[in-house]
Amino acid sequence: MTARLSDRKATGDVRRLRDSALITLGRTHVQLATALLGAVMVSQLAGGGHADAELWGAATKAHGIDTANSAAAELALLLRASGFRADCQTAKTRRDLSGLLYADGIHDSLYRTAGKQHATTRDAAGGMTAVPTQRDQPDSVALSA
């Protein structure tokens, strides 16, 4: 992607890279780096037998696929028409990532797994239980005597 933009600049197709292009490249770089850092963290959790390794693995995989899909879509726009041609590597990557979003329900099921932590709580033994219902609010007490 960056090589193609550099080539277009070198051949004179574009005089300079616009700030929006540089921002997109920078943001994409940071997003992909954080997704990779998440994968490293999950591998450490799994290697140590942490109880939440599967949960974090599901969340990180969903985030990584979403991030890569979004990045490829934004970067294709920088390539203009060539970013959407069938023989373009960016277009092929977008097709592959789009398939990963929905293959075997992977996208929704990964987020569902990650979301379960917000609908459950741990009991004293460390097991998952349903979130308790909200307690009634106590009657308000006057603050002045």
PDB file of all heavy atoms in Angstrom, residues 51-93:
ATOM      1  N   ALA A  51      -7.636 -18.007  33.505  1.00  0.00           N
ATOM      2  CA  ALA A  51      -9.039 -18.373  33.337  1.00  0.00           C
ATOM      3  C   ALA A  51      -9.736 -17.556  32.252  1.00  0.00           C
ATOM      4  O   ALA A  51     -10.671 -18.039  31.615  1.00  0.00           O
ATOM      5  CB  ALA A  51      -9.784 -18.198  34.666  1.00  0.00           C
ATOM      6  N   ASP A  52      -9.308 -16.339  32.024  1.00  0.00           N
ATOM      7  CA  ASP A  52      -9.960 -15.474  31.038  1.00  0.00           C
ATOM      8  C   ASP A  52      -9.278 -15.486  29.675  1.00  0.00           C
ATOM      9  O   ASP A  52      -9.583 -14.652  28.822  1.00  0.00           O
ATOM     10  CB  ASP A  52     -10.018 -14.033  31.556  1.00  0.00           C
ATOM     11  CG  ASP A  52     -10.984 -13.876  32.715  1.00  0.00           C
ATOM     12  OD1 ASP A  52     -11.943 -14.670  32.794  1.00  0.00           O
ATOM     13  OD2 ASP A  52     -10.783 -12.964  33.532  1.00  0.00           O
ATOM     14  N   ALA A  53      -8.370 -16.416  29.437  1.00  0.00           N
ATOM     15  CA  ALA A  53      -7.638 -16.453  28.167  1.00  0.00           C
ATOM     16  C   ALA A  53      -8.587 -16.641  26.991  1.00  0.00           C
ATOM     17  O   ALA A  53      -8.435 -15.977  25.956  1.00  0.00           O
ATOM     18  CB  ALA A  53      -6.587 -17.555  28.184  1.00  0.00           C
ATOM     19  N   GLU A  54      -9.575 -17.508  27.109  1.00  0.00           N
ATOM     20  CA  GLU A  54     -10.506 -17.741  26.006  1.00  0.00           C
ATOM     21  C   GLU A  54     -11.341 -16.493  25.729  1.00  0.00           C
ATOM     22  O   GLU A  54     -11.551 -16.122  24.577  1.00  0.00           O
ATOM     23  CB  GLU A  54     -11.423 -18.923  26.313  1.00  0.00           C
ATOM     24  CG  GLU A  54     -12.346 -19.264  25.165  1.00  0.00           C
ATOM     25  CD  GLU A  54     -13.192 -20.488  25.440  1.00  0.00           C
ATOM     26  OE1 GLU A  54     -12.940 -21.206  26.419  1.00  0.00           O
ATOM     27  OE2 GLU A  54     -14.119 -20.717  24.642  1.00  0.00           O
ATOM     28  N   LEU A  55     -11.800 -15.859  26.791  1.00  0.00           N
ATOM     29  CA  LEU A  55     -12.580 -14.630  26.648  1.00  0.00           C
ATOM     30  C   LEU A  55     -11.778 -13.556  25.927  1.00  0.00           C
ATOM     31  O   LEU A  55     -12.235 -12.952  24.957  1.00  0.00           O
ATOM     32  CB  LEU A  55     -13.013 -14.120  28.029  1.00  0.00           C
ATOM     33  CG  LEU A  55     -13.591 -12.721  28.073  1.00  0.00           C
ATOM     34  CD1 LEU A  55     -14.991 -12.713  27.509  1.00  0.00           C
ATOM     35  CD2 LEU A  55     -13.591 -12.223  29.505  1.00  0.00           C
ATOM     36  N   TRP A  56     -10.552 -13.327  26.383  1.00  0.00           N
ATOM     37  CA  TRP A  56      -9.707 -12.308  25.766  1.00  0.00           C
ATOM     38  C   TRP A  56      -9.307 -12.712  24.353  1.00  0.00           C
ATOM     39  O   TRP A  56      -9.162 -11.863  23.474  1.00  0.00           O
ATOM     40  CB  TRP A  56      -8.476 -12.045  26.622  1.00  0.00           C
ATOM     41  CG  TRP A  56      -8.785 -11.122  27.746  1.00  0.00           C
ATOM     42  CD1 TRP A  56      -9.002 -11.449  29.044  1.00  0.00           C
ATOM     43  CD2 TRP A  56      -8.944  -9.706  27.664  1.00  0.00           C
ATOM     44  NE1 TRP A  56      -9.283 -10.319  29.780  1.00  0.00           N
ATOM     45  CE2 TRP A  56      -9.249  -9.241  28.955  1.00  0.00           C
ATOM     46  CE3 TRP A  56      -8.852  -8.784  26.625  1.00  0.00           C
ATOM     47  CZ2 TRP A  56      -9.462  -7.899  29.230  1.00  0.00           C
ATOM     48  CZ3 TRP A  56      -9.066  -7.447  26.898  1.00  0.00           C
ATOM     49  CH2 TRP A  56      -9.367  -7.025  28.189  1.00  0.00           C
ATOM     50  N   GLY A  57      -9.141 -13.999  24.125  1.00  0.00           N
ATOM     51  CA  GLY A  57      -8.819 -14.471  22.779  1.00  0.00           C
ATOM     52  C   GLY A  57      -9.942 -14.174  21.800  1.00  0.00           C
ATOM     53  O   GLY A  57      -9.704 -13.703  20.683  1.00  0.00           O
ATOM     54  N   ALA A  58     -11.180 -14.431  22.218  1.00  0.00           N
ATOM     55  CA  ALA A  58     -12.331 -14.152  21.359  1.00  0.00           C
ATOM     56  C   ALA A  58     -12.450 -12.658  21.077  1.00  0.00           C
ATOM     57  O   ALA A  58     -12.650 -12.235  19.933  1.00  0.00           O
ATOM     58  CB  ALA A  58     -13.612 -14.665  22.019  1.00  0.00           C
ATOM     59  N   ALA A  59     -12.310 -11.854  22.119  1.00  0.00           N
ATOM     60  CA  ALA A  59     -12.427 -10.401  21.952  1.00  0.00           C
ATOM     61  C   ALA A  59     -11.314  -9.860  21.063  1.00  0.00           C
ATOM     62  O   ALA A  59     -11.555  -9.023  20.182  1.00  0.00           O
ATOM     63  CB  ALA A  59     -12.402  -9.717  23.310  1.00  0.00           C
ATOM     64  N   THR A  60     -10.106 -10.330  21.264  1.00  0.00           N
ATOM     65  CA  THR A  60      -8.971  -9.843  20.489  1.00  0.00           C
ATOM     66  C   THR A  60      -9.068 -10.270  19.033  1.00  0.00           C
ATOM     67  O   THR A  60      -8.754  -9.490  18.129  1.00  0.00           O
ATOM     68  CB  THR A  60      -7.655 -10.338  21.115  1.00  0.00           C
ATOM     69  OG1 THR A  60      -7.592  -9.864  22.465  1.00  0.00           O
ATOM     70  CG2 THR A  60      -6.450  -9.837  20.351  1.00  0.00           C
ATOM     71  N   LYS A  61      -9.526 -11.487  18.791  1.00  0.00           N
ATOM     72  CA  LYS A  61      -9.680 -11.947  17.407  1.00  0.00           C
ATOM     73  C   LYS A  61     -10.727 -11.114  16.687  1.00  0.00           C
ATOM     74  O   LYS A  61     -10.504 -10.666  15.557  1.00  0.00           O
ATOM     75  CB  LYS A  61     -10.058 -13.428  17.374  1.00  0.00           C
ATOM     76  CG  LYS A  61     -10.133 -13.988  15.975  1.00  0.00           C
ATOM     77  CD  LYS A  61     -10.370 -15.482  15.994  1.00  0.00           C
ATOM     78  CE  LYS A  61     -10.355 -16.050  14.590  1.00  0.00           C
ATOM     79  NZ  LYS A  61     -10.592 -17.499  14.596  1.00  0.00           N
ATOM     80  N   ALA A  62     -11.866 -10.879  17.325  1.00  0.00           N
ATOM     81  CA  ALA A  62     -12.917 -10.061  16.709  1.00  0.00           C
ATOM     82  C   ALA A  62     -12.402  -8.650  16.442  1.00  0.00           C
ATOM     83  O   ALA A  62     -12.623  -8.087  15.366  1.00  0.00           O
ATOM     84  CB  ALA A  62     -14.149 -10.019  17.607  1.00  0.00           C
ATOM     85  N   HIS A  63     -11.701  -8.082  17.419  1.00  0.00           N
ATOM     86  CA  HIS A  63     -11.159  -6.733  17.249  1.00  0.00           C
ATOM     87  C   HIS A  63     -10.127  -6.691  16.121  1.00  0.00           C
ATOM     88  O   HIS A  63     -10.133  -5.769  15.295  1.00  0.00           O
ATOM     89  CB  HIS A  63     -10.524  -6.252  18.557  1.00  0.00           C
ATOM     90  CG  HIS A  63      -9.748  -4.986  18.425  1.00  0.00           C
ATOM     91  ND1 HIS A  63     -10.335  -3.773  18.160  1.00  0.00           N
ATOM     92  CD2 HIS A  63      -8.416  -4.745  18.482  1.00  0.00           C
ATOM     93  CE1 HIS A  63      -9.401  -2.837  18.075  1.00  0.00           C
ATOM     94  NE2 HIS A  63      -8.235  -3.409  18.269  1.00  0.00           N
ATOM     95  N   GLY A  64      -9.272  -7.677  16.068  1.00  0.00           N
ATOM     96  CA  GLY A  64      -8.244  -7.712  15.027  1.00  0.00           C
ATOM     97  C   GLY A  64      -8.839  -7.807  13.635  1.00  0.00           C
ATOM     98  O   GLY A  64      -8.398  -7.110  12.707  1.00  0.00           O
ATOM     99  N   ILE A  65      -9.851  -8.644  13.470  1.00  0.00           N
ATOM    100  CA  ILE A  65     -10.497  -8.787  12.167  1.00  0.00           C
ATOM    101  C   ILE A  65     -11.211  -7.490  11.794  1.00  0.00           C
ATOM    102  O   ILE A  65     -11.106  -7.008  10.666  1.00  0.00           O
ATOM    103  CB  ILE A  65     -11.467  -9.983  12.158  1.00  0.00           C
ATOM    104  CG1 ILE A  65     -10.682 -11.295  12.281  1.00  0.00           C
ATOM    105  CG2 ILE A  65     -12.311  -9.991  10.890  1.00  0.00           C
ATOM    106  CD1 ILE A  65     -11.541 -12.502  12.562  1.00  0.00           C
ATOM    107  N   ASP A  66     -11.938  -6.904  12.742  1.00  0.00           N
ATOM    108  CA  ASP A  66     -12.607  -5.628  12.478  1.00  0.00           C
ATOM    109  C   ASP A  66     -11.616  -4.537  12.112  1.00  0.00           C
ATOM    110  O   ASP A  66     -11.834  -3.761  11.184  1.00  0.00           O
ATOM    111  CB  ASP A  66     -13.406  -5.171  13.704  1.00  0.00           C
ATOM    112  CG  ASP A  66     -14.834  -5.662  13.696  1.00  0.00           C
ATOM    113  OD1 ASP A  66     -15.314  -6.115  12.645  1.00  0.00           O
ATOM    114  OD2 ASP A  66     -15.476  -5.568  14.749  1.00  0.00           O
ATOM    115  N   THR A  67     -10.523  -4.463  12.855  1.00  0.00           N
ATOM    116  CA  THR A  67      -9.506  -3.441  12.613  1.00  0.00           C
ATOM    117  C   THR A  67      -8.883  -3.613  11.231  1.00  0.00           C
ATOM    118  O   THR A  67      -8.758  -2.644  10.475  1.00  0.00           O
ATOM    119  CB  THR A  67      -8.422  -3.506  13.696  1.00  0.00           C
ATOM    120  OG1 THR A  67      -9.023  -3.257  14.960  1.00  0.00           O
ATOM    121  CG2 THR A  67      -7.327  -2.483  13.453  1.00  0.00           C
ATOM    122  N   ALA A  68      -8.502  -4.827  10.898  1.00  0.00           N
ATOM    123  CA  ALA A  68      -7.886  -5.076   9.597  1.00  0.00           C
ATOM    124  C   ALA A  68      -8.866  -4.793   8.460  1.00  0.00           C
ATOM    125  O   ALA A  68      -8.488  -4.207   7.440  1.00  0.00           O
ATOM    126  CB  ALA A  68      -7.381  -6.520   9.527  1.00  0.00           C
ATOM    127  N   ASN A  69     -10.131  -5.180   8.632  1.00  0.00           N
ATOM    128  CA  ASN A  69     -11.140  -4.927   7.606  1.00  0.00           C
ATOM    129  C   ASN A  69     -11.349  -3.433   7.397  1.00  0.00           C
ATOM    130  O   ASN A  69     -11.387  -2.941   6.272  1.00  0.00           O
ATOM    131  CB  ASN A  69     -12.456  -5.613   7.980  1.00  0.00           C
ATOM    132  CG  ASN A  69     -13.475  -5.507   6.883  1.00  0.00           C
ATOM    133  OD1 ASN A  69     -13.244  -5.954   5.762  1.00  0.00           O
ATOM    134  ND2 ASN A  69     -14.613  -4.916   7.190  1.00  0.00           N
ATOM    135  N   SER A  70     -11.462  -2.697   8.488  1.00  0.00           N
ATOM    136  CA  SER A  70     -11.637  -1.250   8.406  1.00  0.00           C
ATOM    137  C   SER A  70     -10.421  -0.582   7.771  1.00  0.00           C
ATOM    138  O   SER A  70     -10.547   0.311   6.926  1.00  0.00           O
ATOM    139  CB  SER A  70     -11.885  -0.688   9.805  1.00  0.00           C
ATOM    140  OG  SER A  70     -11.953   0.706   9.781  1.00  0.00           O
ATOM    141  N   ALA A  71      -9.240  -1.021   8.168  1.00  0.00           N
ATOM    142  CA  ALA A  71      -8.005  -0.453   7.620  1.00  0.00           C
ATOM    143  C   ALA A  71      -7.915  -0.698   6.121  1.00  0.00           C
ATOM    144  O   ALA A  71      -7.582   0.216   5.352  1.00  0.00           O
ATOM    145  CB  ALA A  71      -6.799  -1.053   8.330  1.00  0.00           C
ATOM    146  N   ALA A  72      -8.220  -1.908   5.679  1.00  0.00           N
ATOM    147  CA  ALA A  72      -8.148  -2.224   4.250  1.00  0.00           C
ATOM    148  C   ALA A  72      -9.164  -1.399   3.460  1.00  0.00           C
ATOM    149  O   ALA A  72      -8.855  -0.927   2.358  1.00  0.00           O
ATOM    150  CB  ALA A  72      -8.388  -3.714   4.023  1.00  0.00           C
ATOM    151  N   ALA A  73     -10.341  -1.197   4.015  1.00  0.00           N
ATOM    152  CA  ALA A  73     -11.357  -0.391   3.333  1.00  0.00           C
ATOM    153  C   ALA A  73     -10.907   1.063   3.192  1.00  0.00           C
ATOM    154  O   ALA A  73     -11.063   1.673   2.138  1.00  0.00           O
ATOM    155  CB  ALA A  73     -12.678  -0.462   4.091  1.00  0.00           C
ATOM    156  N   GLU A  74     -10.339   1.617   4.261  1.00  0.00           N
ATOM    157  CA  GLU A  74      -9.872   3.009   4.203  1.00  0.00           C
ATOM    158  C   GLU A  74      -8.677   3.157   3.270  1.00  0.00           C
ATOM    159  O   GLU A  74      -8.584   4.133   2.519  1.00  0.00           O
ATOM    160  CB  GLU A  74      -9.500   3.506   5.593  1.00  0.00           C
ATOM    161  CG  GLU A  74     -10.700   3.830   6.456  1.00  0.00           C
ATOM    162  CD  GLU A  74     -10.297   4.539   7.731  1.00  0.00           C
ATOM    163  OE1 GLU A  74      -9.501   5.487   7.670  1.00  0.00           O
ATOM    164  OE2 GLU A  74     -10.790   4.121   8.790  1.00  0.00           O
ATOM    165  N   LEU A  75      -7.766   2.205   3.319  1.00  0.00           N
ATOM    166  CA  LEU A  75      -6.568   2.307   2.494  1.00  0.00           C
ATOM    167  C   LEU A  75      -6.893   2.121   1.011  1.00  0.00           C
ATOM    168  O   LEU A  75      -6.239   2.711   0.153  1.00  0.00           O
ATOM    169  CB  LEU A  75      -5.521   1.306   2.958  1.00  0.00           C
ATOM    170  CG  LEU A  75      -4.966   1.589   4.361  1.00  0.00           C
ATOM    171  CD1 LEU A  75      -4.025   0.486   4.801  1.00  0.00           C
ATOM    172  CD2 LEU A  75      -4.280   2.936   4.434  1.00  0.00           C
ATOM    173  N   ALA A  76      -7.913   1.320   0.708  1.00  0.00           N
ATOM    174  CA  ALA A  76      -8.314   1.153  -0.690  1.00  0.00           C
ATOM    175  C   ALA A  76      -8.758   2.491  -1.279  1.00  0.00           C
ATOM    176  O   ALA A  76      -8.505   2.772  -2.458  1.00  0.00           O
ATOM    177  CB  ALA A  76      -9.433   0.122  -0.799  1.00  0.00           C
ATOM    178  N   LEU A  77      -9.381   3.319  -0.461  1.00  0.00           N
ATOM    179  CA  LEU A  77      -9.814   4.636  -0.934  1.00  0.00           C
ATOM    180  C   LEU A  77      -8.621   5.509  -1.326  1.00  0.00           C
ATOM    181  O   LEU A  77      -8.710   6.322  -2.250  1.00  0.00           O
ATOM    182  CB  LEU A  77     -10.651   5.338   0.126  1.00  0.00           C
ATOM    183  CG  LEU A  77     -11.976   4.669   0.476  1.00  0.00           C
ATOM    184  CD1 LEU A  77     -12.633   5.381   1.651  1.00  0.00           C
ATOM    185  CD2 LEU A  77     -12.901   4.641  -0.725  1.00  0.00           C
ATOM    186  N   LEU A  78      -7.511   5.358  -0.627  1.00  0.00           N
ATOM    187  CA  LEU A  78      -6.318   6.137  -0.955  1.00  0.00           C
ATOM    188  C   LEU A  78      -5.740   5.750  -2.319  1.00  0.00           C
ATOM    189  O   LEU A  78      -5.087   6.550  -2.978  1.00  0.00           O
ATOM    190  CB  LEU A  78      -5.243   5.966   0.122  1.00  0.00           C
ATOM    191  CG  LEU A  78      -5.570   6.518   1.497  1.00  0.00           C
ATOM    192  CD1 LEU A  78      -4.430   6.216   2.455  1.00  0.00           C
ATOM    193  CD2 LEU A  78      -5.839   8.010   1.434  1.00  0.00           C
ATOM    194  N   LEU A  79      -5.980   4.510  -2.718  1.00  0.00           N
ATOM    195  CA  LEU A  79      -5.470   4.043  -4.006  1.00  0.00           C
ATOM    196  C   LEU A  79      -6.379   4.442  -5.162  1.00  0.00           C
ATOM    197  O   LEU A  79      -6.047   4.191  -6.315  1.00  0.00           O
ATOM    198  CB  LEU A  79      -5.302   2.518  -3.982  1.00  0.00           C
ATOM    199  CG  LEU A  79      -4.285   1.986  -2.989  1.00  0.00           C
ATOM    200  CD1 LEU A  79      -4.326   0.470  -2.952  1.00  0.00           C
ATOM    201  CD2 LEU A  79      -2.892   2.478  -3.345  1.00  0.00           C
ATOM    202  N   ARG A  80      -7.514   5.010  -4.810  1.00  0.00           N
ATOM    203  CA  ARG A  80      -8.516   5.437  -5.790  1.00  0.00           C
ATOM    204  C   ARG A  80      -9.009   4.222  -6.567  1.00  0.00           C
ATOM    205  O   ARG A  80      -9.198   3.171  -5.997  1.00  0.00           O
ATOM    206  CB  ARG A  80      -7.952   6.547  -6.632  1.00  0.00           C
ATOM    207  CG  ARG A  80      -7.610   7.760  -5.767  1.00  0.00           C
ATOM    208  CD  ARG A  80      -6.905   8.843  -6.448  1.00  0.00           C
ATOM    209  NE  ARG A  80      -7.614   9.323  -7.637  1.00  0.00           N
ATOM    210  CZ  ARG A  80      -7.303  10.415  -8.263  1.00  0.00           C
ATOM    211  NH1 ARG A  80      -6.329  11.162  -7.815  1.00  0.00           N
ATOM    212  NH2 ARG A  80      -7.947  10.788  -9.336  1.00  0.00           N
ATOM    213  N   ALA A  81      -9.257   4.345  -7.835  1.00  0.00           N
ATOM    214  CA  ALA A  81      -9.869   3.270  -8.618  1.00  0.00           C
ATOM    215  C   ALA A  81      -9.043   1.984  -8.592  1.00  0.00           C
ATOM    216  O   ALA A  81      -9.596   0.886  -8.556  1.00  0.00           O
ATOM    217  CB  ALA A  81     -10.090   3.724 -10.059  1.00  0.00           C
ATOM    218  N   SER A  82      -7.728   2.121  -8.581  1.00  0.00           N
ATOM    219  CA  SER A  82      -6.885   0.913  -8.609  1.00  0.00           C
ATOM    220  C   SER A  82      -7.052   0.077  -7.345  1.00  0.00           C
ATOM    221  O   SER A  82      -6.798  -1.126  -7.366  1.00  0.00           O
ATOM    222  CB  SER A  82      -5.418   1.291  -8.814  1.00  0.00           C
ATOM    223  OG  SER A  82      -4.929   2.006  -7.701  1.00  0.00           O
ATOM    224  N   GLY A  83      -7.495   0.684  -6.241  1.00  0.00           N
ATOM    225  CA  GLY A  83      -7.705  -0.050  -4.997  1.00  0.00           C
ATOM    226  C   GLY A  83      -8.907  -0.972  -5.031  1.00  0.00           C
ATOM    227  O   GLY A  83      -9.101  -1.768  -4.117  1.00  0.00           O
ATOM    228  N   PHE A  84      -9.707  -0.859  -6.089  1.00  0.00           N
ATOM    229  CA  PHE A  84     -10.918  -1.669  -6.198  1.00  0.00           C
ATOM    230  C   PHE A  84     -10.867  -2.652  -7.369  1.00  0.00           C
ATOM    231  O   PHE A  84     -11.818  -3.390  -7.595  1.00  0.00           O
ATOM    232  CB  PHE A  84     -12.148  -0.756  -6.333  1.00  0.00           C
ATOM    233  CG  PHE A  84     -12.356   0.081  -5.106  1.00  0.00           C
ATOM    234  CD1 PHE A  84     -11.781   1.339  -5.008  1.00  0.00           C
ATOM    235  CD2 PHE A  84     -13.100  -0.392  -4.048  1.00  0.00           C
ATOM    236  CE1 PHE A  84     -11.955   2.112  -3.876  1.00  0.00           C
ATOM    237  CE2 PHE A  84     -13.282   0.369  -2.913  1.00  0.00           C
ATOM    238  CZ  PHE A  84     -12.700   1.620  -2.820  1.00  0.00           C
ATOM    239  N   ARG A  85      -9.759  -2.660  -8.090  1.00  0.00           N
ATOM    240  CA  ARG A  85      -9.609  -3.600  -9.199  1.00  0.00           C
ATOM    241  C   ARG A  85      -9.423  -5.004  -8.659  1.00  0.00           C
ATOM    242  O   ARG A  85      -8.826  -5.207  -7.611  1.00  0.00           O
ATOM    243  CB  ARG A  85      -8.413  -3.218 -10.059  1.00  0.00           C
ATOM    244  CG  ARG A  85      -8.623  -1.958 -10.857  1.00  0.00           C
ATOM    245  CD  ARG A  85      -7.430  -1.570 -11.650  1.00  0.00           C
ATOM    246  NE  ARG A  85      -6.660  -2.733 -12.101  1.00  0.00           N
ATOM    247  CZ  ARG A  85      -5.780  -2.697 -13.071  1.00  0.00           C
ATOM    248  NH1 ARG A  85      -5.540  -1.570 -13.684  1.00  0.00           N
ATOM    249  NH2 ARG A  85      -5.111  -3.771 -13.414  1.00  0.00           N
ATOM    250  N   ALA A  86      -9.912  -5.986  -9.390  1.00  0.00           N
ATOM    251  CA  ALA A  86      -9.849  -7.378  -8.945  1.00  0.00           C
ATOM    252  C   ALA A  86      -8.414  -7.866  -8.762  1.00  0.00           C
ATOM    253  O   ALA A  86      -8.152  -8.714  -7.907  1.00  0.00           O
ATOM    254  CB  ALA A  86     -10.586  -8.274  -9.923  1.00  0.00           C
ATOM    255  N   ASP A  87      -7.470  -7.329  -9.537  1.00  0.00           N
ATOM    256  CA  ASP A  87      -6.089  -7.790  -9.446  1.00  0.00           C
ATOM    257  C   ASP A  87      -5.277  -7.041  -8.385  1.00  0.00           C
ATOM    258  O   ASP A  87      -4.094  -7.326  -8.203  1.00  0.00           O
ATOM    259  CB  ASP A  87      -5.389  -7.691 -10.809  1.00  0.00           C
ATOM    260  CG  ASP A  87      -5.299  -6.255 -11.311  1.00  0.00           C
ATOM    261  OD1 ASP A  87      -6.046  -5.387 -10.820  1.00  0.00           O
ATOM    262  OD2 ASP A  87      -4.479  -6.013 -12.224  1.00  0.00           O
ATOM    263  N   CYS A  88      -5.890  -6.119  -7.667  1.00  0.00           N
ATOM    264  CA  CYS A  88      -5.193  -5.354  -6.631  1.00  0.00           C
ATOM    265  C   CYS A  88      -5.115  -6.175  -5.341  1.00  0.00           C
ATOM    266  O   CYS A  88      -6.112  -6.761  -4.895  1.00  0.00           O
ATOM    267  CB  CYS A  88      -5.936  -4.042  -6.377  1.00  0.00           C
ATOM    268  SG  CYS A  88      -5.231  -3.047  -5.046  1.00  0.00           S
ATOM    269  N   GLN A  89      -3.946  -6.229  -4.737  1.00  0.00           N
ATOM    270  CA  GLN A  89      -3.771  -6.980  -3.492  1.00  0.00           C
ATOM    271  C   GLN A  89      -4.657  -6.428  -2.376  1.00  0.00           C
ATOM    272  O   GLN A  89      -5.186  -7.178  -1.569  1.00  0.00           O
ATOM    273  CB  GLN A  89      -2.305  -6.964  -3.058  1.00  0.00           C
ATOM    274  CG  GLN A  89      -2.031  -7.782  -1.806  1.00  0.00           C
ATOM    275  CD  GLN A  89      -2.379  -9.252  -1.970  1.00  0.00           C
ATOM    276  OE1 GLN A  89      -2.076  -9.860  -2.991  1.00  0.00           O
ATOM    277  NE2 GLN A  89      -3.021  -9.836  -0.968  1.00  0.00           N
ATOM    278  N   THR A  90      -4.844  -5.120  -2.336  1.00  0.00           N
ATOM    279  CA  THR A  90      -5.713  -4.523  -1.317  1.00  0.00           C
ATOM    280  C   THR A  90      -7.148  -5.006  -1.488  1.00  0.00           C
ATOM    281  O   THR A  90      -7.822  -5.324  -0.508  1.00  0.00           O
ATOM    282  CB  THR A  90      -5.647  -2.980  -1.387  1.00  0.00           C
ATOM    283  OG1 THR A  90      -4.290  -2.572  -1.212  1.00  0.00           O
ATOM    284  CG2 THR A  90      -6.501  -2.343  -0.315  1.00  0.00           C
ATOM    285  N   ALA A  91      -7.637  -5.078  -2.725  1.00  0.00           N
ATOM    286  CA  ALA A  91      -8.996  -5.568  -2.979  1.00  0.00           C
ATOM    287  C   ALA A  91      -9.122  -7.037  -2.579  1.00  0.00           C
ATOM    288  O   ALA A  91     -10.135  -7.442  -1.994  1.00  0.00           O
ATOM    289  CB  ALA A  91      -9.354  -5.380  -4.446  1.00  0.00           C
ATOM    290  N   LYS A  92      -8.103  -7.843  -2.877  1.00  0.00           N
ATOM    291  CA  LYS A  92      -8.128  -9.253  -2.482  1.00  0.00           C
ATOM    292  C   LYS A  92      -8.156  -9.384  -0.959  1.00  0.00           C
ATOM    293  O   LYS A  92      -8.919 -10.176  -0.410  1.00  0.00           O
ATOM    294  CB  LYS A  92      -6.922  -9.997  -3.051  1.00  0.00           C
ATOM    295  CG  LYS A  92      -6.914 -11.476  -2.690  1.00  0.00           C
ATOM    296  CD  LYS A  92      -5.626 -12.145  -3.100  1.00  0.00           C
ATOM    297  CE  LYS A  92      -5.572 -13.606  -2.747  1.00  0.00           C
ATOM    298  NZ  LYS A  92      -6.063 -13.974  -1.440  1.00  0.00           N
ATOM    299  N   THR A  93      -7.337  -8.582  -0.292  1.00  0.00           N
ATOM    300  CA  THR A  93      -7.312  -8.609   1.175  1.00  0.00           C
ATOM    301  C   THR A  93      -8.666  -8.221   1.736  1.00  0.00           C
ATOM    302  O   THR A  93      -9.143  -8.837   2.695  1.00  0.00           O
ATOM    303  CB  THR A  93      -6.214  -7.661   1.695  1.00  0.00           C
ATOM    304  OG1 THR A  93      -4.955  -8.088   1.170  1.00  0.00           O
ATOM    305  CG2 THR A  93      -6.161  -7.648   3.211  1.00  0.00           C
TER     306      THR A  93
END
